[in-house]
Amino acid sequence: MDLPSVTTSVDGTIPIEALLFQGEDLLASQDGVGLYVGNDKLPSHQCGTSHLSSHRLFYIDSPHPTRRSFSLNLSLVKKTEYYAGLFTSSPKASLFLSSDSSDDLSPWTCSLCGFRNPPGFSAVCGLCGVPVPTPVQNLVPKSRSSNACTMCTFINHPSLATCEMCDSPLKRDGDGPSTTSSLLIKLSFRRGGDKTFYADLKRALMTKAWQSLMTPHLEPPQASLGTSSGISHILSLNQSSQSTSNVSLSLALQDLQALMVKAKHMVNLADDLSSRLSAVESTTNNNGDFPEGTSSLLSDISNLAISKPPSLESTPITLEMIKNRDEARWLKELAVELSSVLHGIQVKKSDSDTSNPDLLPLDRLWVSWNRARGVSLIPPSTFLDVLPHLESITNMRIRIIGQSSIKVLYTPHFSLPSISQRISQILPQPLTPTSFGTSERITISLSQLLLSEVEMSDGTPICRDDWESAIHVGVGGGVLETKYYPNVFVDYVWDGHSE
Amino acid sequence: MALSSHTTSTGFLLPSIHSAPPFFTKQPNPITNSTATEQWIRLISEYARFKRLFYLRIDDCEATGNDWDEILRNERINRRLLPTYLSYIIETMIEKGLAEYEPPKQTRSVILYWRAPEEWAEALHGWVVSTGRLNTIMTFYEITEPEIESPLSGIPLPLLRKCISILAKTNRSQIIAIPDGEGARFFARSTLQ
């Protein structure tokens, strides 16, 4: 028993999505599907995956995806039946196929532009609008019926019923009464999924997606009254797409203008918000009404984004202002300028600012500096080049904290030895990143980094206690964070049981 | 911070460091970590010797109600040893020859050598000599479960086999297959061979 000739073989190793045409949708997929032709099992097609698209039904064979996979146009399906299965018999969906080859729509390739058109009733190419070349359609059914003998492969004359060479009966397509049974294909669902698949199949057959014209979005409404093919069609398509893009462009420009009007308003609003925020913060800081996270977030917002930028006394220095465009000198001048920005930050610190100006993450300094300059912004690379010069004119130094990749600019107050010393003074009271961050006026993440830096240093005064080691997590309340204790292991002498 | 040692209900004296919360966390600083791990190994060995425990499993710190509860957990400070740290400690013990994976080819259970296998071998030979069982064939059961309790009572079979093979190197023992399993015969030091 063979597959009906109306099926088209496909290469099953290609993912199913790539086999679909433009405008064809994948509706359902089901593995563990076996095939029956008529009432007989098709032994070669017993383990595969069936995919249902809006136009076609695919069978992708699992053991031999290249040789045994095929697709079937849904337009050929006249009627379907559903069998729910009984005991060991799997549920099945029967498809009765029409033998009328005029319904058989096959994909075709446009002779002008080479676009592969999906099967359907569309009379013109979906890409260039050239009508279907008629001879191609007539040729398709003919070329498909090959009269090669299945036994000896001799190609016989189409009118013969038996092979001229070996007398074995020849396979005949479509019209013979003997083939009526082969026009029934059954899908047997060995691994379930039959109900949904069948429902999707019914829906696809009802929708008849292949009858609708393809690419409706390319079809301009006025094109229907004129000739819808040839160069004039291309021109009209072009014209309409141009006019739509003109419209969207002018709309976008209008939006932009409206935005620019609003921008000024937004800046004023931001300034207002910033001043209010700092006012609120200075009052709540004393009462401690705000949770810590909220207030630090607020201050970060106000500091980074919408606070008044530190101002620059002179105009920003650019490379063009330096004689002979001497880059080394320029970097030095920039360092001086940056130091004045730093000075500004350090003077401004006092009241609302929770961050410590003695320890600055580089990203933050870079943002502040560029805000102060306003024009001819400094790229990060130049910023990094300037920093070494800054070390020579201020007491600020740069280091990467511990094993993180965070670079900070710091005063001697935040050098590793002096941090260790301050930690030692707090001990034996256990430390947490939060408590240390509060006492040092730095963010919790920075505080965590500093603590682990101290922890990893030689002769460290601290050791950690992770909350993960708790038997009862969350007992006694409090935030779950690592605690730092005095280094109990230094000079420890065994004082337990000994033999 | 004042830490004090603590005596458990079974009479084992826990070291003061056992009541320090950081003791139960694997320390990232390599120097601190090596000191802490050393103290853990000492604690495990002392406790095993005290209670004659031969096996330690990763599971022992994951569930309660086993022989090791007293040292792998400290309810007074709400701390317990995590499996990841215990397996690190076990690895270190194996490096130092204080334990061995038993059964082999897995990493969740070890046999502990709170006495070196060589010491065990000498103790075994001493016991054989002192009880006058030289040149007699004995089953393993007779050695591990003698009627009169001996220093070797209850030692696990893998350790016993190891002891016998150590003695065999100096021609002082011989493993013999007997009908219901394995047995051994011991010889005096001066045996000719």
Side-chain angles (χ1 to χ4, degrees):
Chain A
M1 186 58 67
D2 280 322
L3 271 174
S5 59
V6 289
T7 58
T8 316
S9 79
V10 293
D11 185 351
T13 53
I14 301 173
I16 184 68
E17 288 78 6
L19 289 169
L20 300 183
F21 293 104
Q22 196 191 342
E24 188 177 6
D25 299 319
L26 188 64
L27 302 175
S29 298
Q30 180 58 45
D31 60 348
V33 170
L35 286 190
Y36 285 68
V37 172
N39 286 321
D40 304 315
K41 246 185 204 176
L42 199 58
S44 52
H45 295 70
Q46 283 309 309
C47 177
T49 307
S50 196
H51 301 280
L52 178 72
S53 79
S54 55
H55 290 63
R56 285 179 292 172
L57 181 75
F58 292 86
Y59 171 84
I60 306 296
D61 195 61
S62 300
H64 301 284
T66 30
R67 276 191 287 129
R68 295 191 179 152
S69 306
F70 66 85
S71 72
L72 173 74
N73 287 338
L74 287 183
S75 59
L76 292 169
V77 177
K78 282 190 299 188
K79 182 170 86 150
T80 60
E81 258 171 28
Y82 176 69
Y83 164 69
L86 187 70
F87 300 121
T88 56
S89 160
S90 312
K92 290 178 187 63
S94 309
L95 310 178
F96 295 91
L97 304 183
S98 149
S99 58
D100 184 2
S101 61
S102 70
D103 281 359
D104 175 19
L105 299 159
S106 51
W108 55 280
T109 307
C110 175
S111 57
L112 186 65
C113 66
F115 179 67
R116 247 161 53 94
N117 284 283
F121 285 101
S122 174
V124 291
C125 170
L127 190 66
C128 64
V130 166
V132 184
T134 33
V136 172
Q137 226 180 9
N138 291 346
L139 274 175
V140 172
K142 262 188 203 165
S143 65
R144 189 174 293 151
S145 62
S146 107
N147 242 8
C149 172
T150 47
M151 305 306 283
C152 65
T153 70
F154 181 76
I155 297 174
N156 290 278
H157 189 271
S159 62
L160 288 174
T162 54
C163 177
E164 240 182 308
M165 290 289 144
C166 61
D167 262 1
S168 54
L170 286 176
K171 184 184 74 177
R172 309 212 59 179
D173 308 316
D175 46 359
S178 61
T179 53
T180 41
S181 64
S182 71
L183 291 176
L184 166 63
I185 288 186
K186 285 188 190 174
L187 301 179
S188 174
F189 296 91
R190 309 260 149 75
R191 275 187 227 148
D194 49 301
K195 286 213 176 66
T196 50
F197 195 90
Y198 188 71
D200 285 331
L201 177 68
K202 280 302 253 191
R203 208 172 309 127
L205 288 170
M206 298 280 282
T207 316
K208 294 193 194 299
W210 54 91
Q211 286 188 350
S212 64
L213 288 174
M214 289 308 300
T215 61
H217 60 279
L218 276 179
E219 218 75 42
Q222 72 270 29
S224 56
L225 44 101
T227 50
S228 60
S229 63
I231 292 180
S232 64
H233 182 62
I234 300 174
L235 282 176
S236 69
L237 272 180
N238 195 16
Q239 219 161 24
S240 69
S241 68
Q242 212 164 26
S243 65
T244 43
S245 66
N246 273 347
V247 168
S248 51
L249 200 64
S250 62
L251 275 176
L253 283 172
Q254 277 172 13
D255 282 352
L256 199 64
Q257 248 163 2
L259 210 63
M260 278 159 75
V261 172
K262 275 278 173 203
K264 205 163 185 117
H265 181 61
M266 297 263 288
V267 170
N268 289 337
L269 200 68
D271 270 349
D272 183 39
L273 197 62
S274 159
S275 60
R276 277 186 201 198
L277 268 180
S278 52
V280 167
E281 211 183 326
S282 55
T283 54
T284 50
N285 255 8
N286 308 332
N287 309 342
D289 280 350
F290 264 120
E292 186 156 351
T294 318
S295 68
S296 76
L297 183 72
L298 288 178
S299 72
D300 260 7
I301 293 171
S302 61
N303 291 331
L304 264 182
I306 51 179
S307 71
K308 282 217 174 74
S311 51
L312 224 56
E313 286 92 25
S314 51
T315 48
I317 297 158
T318 60
L319 188 53
E320 286 71 25
M321 292 157 73
I322 309 295
K323 219 201 296 179
N324 302 334
R325 296 175 66 91
D326 182 355
E327 198 153 327
R329 235 194 103 206
W330 180 48
L331 291 179
K332 271 183 200 148
E333 294 287 334
L334 281 178
V336 174
E337 183 184 301
L338 182 56
S339 73
S340 79
V341 173
L342 264 175
H343 184 69
I345 294 174
Q346 275 159 350
V347 168
K348 206 167 77 86
K349 67 173 187 184
S350 58
D351 44 295
S352 67
D353 199 349
T354 53
S355 74
N356 199 322
D358 290 335
L359 183 72
L360 289 168
L362 290 194
D363 53 345
R364 198 176 167 132
L365 179 60
W366 179 65
V367 168
S368 302
W369 188 20
N370 271 333
R371 285 185 64 82
R373 284 174 70 91
V375 290
S376 64
L377 303 181
I378 299 294
S381 56
T382 314
F383 176 61
L384 289 177
D385 289 341
V386 169
L387 286 175
H389 296 283
L390 190 67
E391 285 189 322
S392 62
I393 55 171
T394 62
N395 62 352
M396 301 291 272
R397 297 288 172 269
I398 310 159
R399 79 161 185 266
I400 296 174
I401 300 185
Q403 281 144 342
S404 68
S405 53
I406 310 252
K407 267 189 186 171
V408 289
L409 202 63
Y410 66 99
T411 59
H413 184 66
F414 274 99
S415 67
L416 190 54
S418 48
I419 296 173
S420 303
Q421 205 198 339
R422 281 204 298 286
I423 289 177
S424 307
Q425 281 162 6
I426 303 172
L427 296 172
Q429 190 72 34
L431 290 166
T432 64
T434 318
S435 71
F436 187 62
T438 317
S439 67
E440 295 288 315
R441 306 205 315 122
I442 52 177
T443 60
I444 294 174
S445 53
L446 260 181
S447 150
Q448 173 69 67
L449 288 173
L450 286 181
L451 279 169
S452 38
E453 188 183 29
V454 170
E455 182 190 14
M456 293 305 287
S457 63
D458 287 343
T460 172
I462 51 173
C463 61
R464 70 161 61 204
D465 166 34
D466 283 338
W467 62 266
E468 281 101 335
S469 299
I471 300 174
H472 310 290
V473 174
V475 169
V479 190
L480 296 177
E481 58 178 346
T482 303
K483 270 189 188 170
Y484 288 90
Y485 282 82
N487 194 337
V488 287
F489 300 104
V490 166
D491 300 331
Y492 174 75
V493 183
W494 180 261
D495 56 359
H497 196 98
S498 63
E499 202 179 48
Chain B
M1 191 165 51
L3 297 172
S4 60
S5 49
H6 178 82
T7 310
T8 68
S9 51
T10 54
F12 183 77
L13 179 68
L14 287 169
S16 60
I17 202 153
H18 194 259
S19 22
F23 191 46
F24 292 83
T25 296
K26 186 169 185 289
Q27 299 296 325
N29 184 310
I31 296 164
T32 316
N33 178 43
S34 80
T35 325
T37 308
E38 233 168 71
Q39 301 306 332
W40 264 113
I41 292 173
R42 174 97 195 252
L43 177 59
I44 289 171
S45 299
E46 292 284 357
Y47 191 71
R49 190 180 295 128
F50 177 77
K51 290 191 80 175
R52 286 187 72 83
L53 298 174
F54 288 95
Y55 286 101
L56 176 60
R57 297 172 188 84
I58 302 291
D59 301 348
D60 290 334
C61 70
E62 286 171 343
T64 56
N66 57 66
D67 295 334
W68 294 93
D69 276 1
E70 281 179 354
I71 62 161
L72 299 185
R73 302 163 74 81
N74 189 344
E75 295 279 353
R76 288 166 291 127
I77 56 164
N78 187 26
R79 284 293 177 272
R80 70 197 167 97
L81 194 63
L82 292 180
T84 44
Y85 190 24
L86 181 59
S87 68
Y88 172 80
I89 293 170
I90 282 176
E91 276 167 34
T92 317
M93 289 183 86
I94 289 169
E95 275 167 31
K96 290 175 185 258
L98 294 170
E100 213 167 292
Y101 289 126
E102 177 58 44
K105 290 177 187 155
Q106 49 82 46
T107 56
R108 291 188 63 86
S109 165
V110 285
I111 188 166
L112 298 170
Y113 297 143
W114 35 269
R115 262 186 194 182
E118 289 73 21
E119 281 179 55
W120 278 113
E122 290 309 322
L124 171 64
H125 197 258
W127 174 73
V128 170
V129 171
S130 65
T131 53
R133 291 172 203 236
L134 281 175
N135 301 316
T136 352
I137 296 174
M138 281 184 288
T139 61
F140 281 2
Y141 181 77
E142 280 176 282
I143 301 171
T144 59
E145 308 286 336
E147 280 170 28
I148 303 158
E149 197 163 306
S150 78
L152 295 130
S153 292
I155 77 164
L157 286 186
L159 180 56
L160 179 61
R161 263 192 216 106
K162 197 162 178 133
C163 290
I164 293 172
S165 63
I166 288 170
L167 289 176
K169 280 179 199 155
T170 50
N171 297 324
R172 285 186 287 164
S173 73
Q174 182 183 16
I175 288 198
I176 289 164
I178 55 170
D180 18 326
E182 284 168 298
R185 184 158 57 167
F186 297 89
F187 311 105
R189 189 177 291 275
S190 55
T191 301
L192 304 169
Q193 183 78 25

